[in-house]
Amino acid sequence: MALTSKISLYNPQWPLAFAAERERIAPGFADDLLAIHHVGSTAVPGLAAKPEIDVLLVVARHRDEVLREAFMATLGYVRGSDLSVGHQFYRRDVQGVRTHKVHVCLVGHGQIQRMLGFRDLLRTDVELRQRYQELKLQLEASNRDGIGEYLARKAPFIDGVMDSQQA
């Protein structure tokens, strides 16, 4: 089983793709929307990544979920399983290739600080960014069972980095 897309060198168009998607998504969350962030590897200049734009929406509350899901469908998104209580997930594929992921988190959700914190560390720490890139390329090369395996094998690295920030 393949990954949702192949890791490629950093593309300076990724922030522009995020900005365009931010404009498309924002109207569907209206007054509940508190912030929209570019997260994930495509948000880190110089980092090789799967060319999938990760978007983090911080919302005051989850409401009108049927309407929001219908709105997101008009943009080509499919609702995935909630990743945890208060953390909804949408994905968009184009011709069978994942292009975007949207995380919708309630304000105060722990994943917000985790995603932003890891992104910011990668942006500022060249050595950490290089180690993470090497790990990602190694995991891609050895992957046999798809995205679930890839994510599970990246998690200990991310956990270790984030735990060291708490100490």
Side-chain angles (χ1 to χ4, degrees), residues 58-121:
V58 180
V59 296
R61 62 194 149 277
H62 288 306
R63 65 178 173 145
D64 302 325
E65 290 185 37
V66 172
L67 291 175
R68 285 185 177 163
E69 191 170 327
F71 170 79
M72 292 296 282
T74 68
L75 303 179
Y77 285 91
V78 173
R79 171 101 181 251
S81 299
D82 288 359
L83 299 178
S84 64
V85 174
H87 183 175
Q88 298 174 345
F89 179 75
Y90 293 86
R91 67 185 181 279
R92 186 170 113 200
D93 297 353
V94 175
Q95 298 177 339
V97 176
R98 179 80 27 93
T99 61
H100 295 77
K101 296 175 288 197
V102 175
H103 300 265
V104 183
C105 291
L106 287 173
V107 64
H109 195 285
Q111 276 300 110
I112 297 167
Q113 186 53 46
R114 182 178 173 85
M115 284 189 263
L116 295 175
F118 189 62
R119 178 203 65 191
D120 293 347
L121 286 170

Side-chain angles (χ1 to χ4, degrees), residues 27-59:
F29 292 82
D31 296 339
D32 288 330
L33 183 61
L34 301 174
I36 302 179
H37 302 279
H38 187 188
V39 294
S41 294
T42 62
V44 180
L47 180 62
K50 291 187 281 82
E52 303 171 8
I53 305 301
D54 285 278
V55 180
L56 169 62
L57 279 70
V58 180
V59 296

